[in-house]
Amino acid sequence: MKKLKIHFLGASGTVTGSKFYLETEEVKILVDCGLFQGVKELRKQNWERLPIDVSEIDYVLLTHGHLDHCGYLPLLVRQGFRGKILGTGPTLEIARIILEDSAKIQEEEAERANKEHYSKHNPALPLYTKEDAAFALKFFERVEEGDNLVLSDNCSATFLYNGHIIGSTYIEIDLHGKRFVFSGDVGRQEDELLNAPKQPEWADYLFVESTYGDRQHPDENVGHILTGLVKDSLHNRGTLIIPSFAVERLQSLMYQLWKLYKKNRIPNIPIFVDSPMGNNVLEVFEQFPSWHKLTLEEYHNMCNHISIVSSYAETWEIIDDPRPKIVIAGSGMVTGGRVLTYIKQLGDMETTSILLVGFQAEETRGRKLLEGATELKIYGKYVSVKAKVNHLESLSAHADQPELLTWMDSIKNIPEKVFLVHGEKAAMEVFKGKIHEKYGWNCHVPEMHEVLEVLL
């Protein structure tokens, strides 16, 4: 009888830091390798070595390229990993962009902290450098969606389309006759840019995200809400700031605003996309047309309608521009990026509006804004916030509870165990009850660093 150890190294009892380690005598696989975000106690874990022998890992399988699923890779390599990092073409491109950007931000923030002396550490150091990120990229190896990949004599893996962002997949790992299904982040059933997720048909062990396991996204009229916010900004001669995730949400917002302009529902208000990473992601959409719904003509028309910001000097020109305007800038949870500069400079004006889209993790600035914060700590100093804060939950790239259940509907067998991951504890408990009520399946909510043994 063969044994498998499952190590829950992240996204267990929390949303971020996805890392699931499958350890057998024959093969050792890490599914996702993400950074923790949000709560300080979690972020501190990014600085700690993993409690496993990293040099023994044969493969890292990436479900998609978001920071909380790939951002730890430079540290993994620094700790001795020398295996293969597998992902779809768009996923590896997105991961490259995100890792390079993350390293740049880490270095810039360490430099700023040392210059302005607001860090407790002397000197403040980056979590990893651009050189660390570049070295990690050397281990990338592209896989094709739907192909069955032989990883060892008794193990194979298949990456299957699941929406969420461009390149995103769920992963089926067949190991000694048992199937382990990792949902990754499941996308929406109806999305402006992406197709509906494919669905697994068999799972002996199912690892399913539960970000929105406790709720249904509101039935919002996105076009109507965006039109109202744009008209308010015009009336107030103010700025609409939209903190956005650089991957898919930013492109979706661009598409929504371009469509509204095309239909004469909003005037030709200046729209600026100020996210170097988001601009690079746009090129991935052009590079991989089969992964999304946009035609090449629509893509170019959309990009021509919107001003793409390239330099930080332009950021300040936009801030000083007195015209009513829309600014879409990273990051989506207001944890970093150029959106901090806009909020720092314009957030204390009552003519400014802030529109949050997508999930806001605990203790992020985005979550604090949602909860009514009237000041934010930015670059070591507190900044007053008088801007009106709005939230569009239906623009989330994550499936809600009914959509997650729909994703599981095609599973023909009764899984031996369902693991609820990538969610806050309250959401997972509600989702656990719902799965038991609908399917009668045995669910488990793993703790961080929990290790389970499975007989194969």
Side-chain angles (χ1 to χ4, degrees), residues 167-237:
S168 179
T169 58
Y170 67 93
I171 300 174
E172 295 180 345
I173 299 174
D174 291 316
L175 186 59
H176 286 280
K178 299 282 188 181
R179 177 163 290 177
F180 298 79
V181 178
F182 293 83
S183 74
D185 289 357
V186 181
R188 310 295 306 279
Q189 287 294 313
E190 293 183 15
D191 188 278
E192 289 279 2
L193 299 182
L194 302 178
N195 295 313
K198 291 183 179 179
Q199 296 168 258
E201 295 184 358
W202 193 277
D204 295 296
Y205 293 89
L206 177 63
F207 300 72
V208 63
E209 70 124 323
S210 42
T211 315
Y212 287 106
D214 62 341
R215 72 194 81 166
Q216 182 171 348
H217 292 316
D219 186 17
E220 298 168 316
N221 186 325
V222 174
H224 180 74
I225 292 168
L226 284 173
T227 299
L229 290 170
V230 170
K231 288 180 176 177
D232 285 348
S233 294
L234 284 165
H235 178 74
N236 297 327
R237 298 200 59 77

Side-chain angles (χ1 to χ4, degrees), residues 204-206 414-420 432 435-436 439-445:
D204 295 296
Y205 293 89
L206 177 63
I414 298 173
E416 293 180 39
K417 187 83 77 174
V418 177
F419 299 103
L420 301 186
K432 179 180 178 181
I435 291 171
H436 189 266
Y439 304 110
W441 292 352
N442 182 13
C443 292
H444 177 63
V445 178

Side-chain angles (χ1 to χ4, degrees), residues 134-152:
F135 188 43
L137 301 182
K138 295 181 184 296
F139 302 93
F140 279 16
E141 193 167 299
R142 177 175 169 173
V143 302
E144 297 303 319
E145 192 268 346
D147 282 2
N148 186 254
L149 308 165
V150 176
L151 304 183
S152 70

Side-chain angles (χ1 to χ4, degrees), residues 65-217:
H66 270 151
L67 188 68
D68 63 325
H69 291 258
C70 76
Y72 194 85
L73 284 171
L75 297 168
L76 193 79
V77 172
R78 190 197 286 170
Q79 290 171 32
F81 171 78
R82 294 298 181 269
K84 294 179 178 180
I85 300 169
L86 306 182
T88 65
T91 286
L92 296 186
E93 273 302 296
I94 297 294
R96 175 187 64 78
I97 292 164
I98 281 183
L99 292 179
E100 289 173 350
D101 186 76
S102 173
K104 180 170 174 281
I105 289 171
Q106 300 280 351
E107 289 184 347
E108 287 174 351
E109 288 189 352
E111 186 181 348
R112 185 183 288 112
N114 289 324
K115 186 177 177 182
E116 298 180 14
H117 307 290
Y118 62 76
S119 173
K120 295 176 185 175
H121 305 284
N122 188 20
L125 297 171
L127 183 60
Y128 50 80
T129 65
K130 286 179 275 192
E131 288 74 21
D132 292 328
F135 188 43
L137 301 182
K138 295 181 184 296
F139 302 93
F140 279 16
E141 193 167 299
R142 177 175 169 173
V143 302
E144 297 303 319
E145 192 268 346
D147 282 2
N148 186 254
L149 308 165
V150 176
L151 304 183
S152 70
D153 288 345
N154 297 288
C155 182
S156 64
T158 308
F159 293 66
L160 292 155
Y161 189 100
N162 76 341
H164 185 58
I165 66 170
I166 189 168
S168 179
T169 58
Y170 67 93
I171 300 174
E172 295 180 345
I173 299 174
D174 291 316
L175 186 59
H176 286 280
K178 299 282 188 181
R179 177 163 290 177
F180 298 79
V181 178
F182 293 83
S183 74
D185 289 357
V186 181
R188 310 295 306 279
Q189 287 294 313
E190 293 183 15
D191 188 278
E192 289 279 2
L193 299 182
L194 302 178
N195 295 313
K198 291 183 179 179
Q199 296 168 258
E201 295 184 358
W202 193 277
D204 295 296
Y205 293 89
L206 177 63
F207 300 72
V208 63
E209 70 124 323
S210 42
T211 315
Y212 287 106
D214 62 341
R215 72 194 81 166
Q216 182 171 348
H217 292 316

Side-chain angles (χ1 to χ4, degrees), residues 38-89:
V39 181
K40 186 177 181 181
E41 287 307 307
L42 280 175
R43 286 186 281 113
K44 281 166 68 176
Q45 291 194 41
N46 291 330
W47 295 84
E48 297 170 9
R49 291 181 69 88
L50 293 182
I52 58 173
D53 187 346
V54 165
S55 66
E56 289 189 350
I57 302 172
D58 299 298
Y59 300 96
V60 176
L61 310 184
L62 296 180
T63 60
H64 64 289
H66 270 151
L67 188 68
D68 63 325
H69 291 258
C70 76
Y72 194 85
L73 284 171
L75 297 168
L76 193 79
V77 172
R78 190 197 286 170
Q79 290 171 32
F81 171 78
R82 294 298 181 269
K84 294 179 178 180
I85 300 169
L86 306 182
T88 65

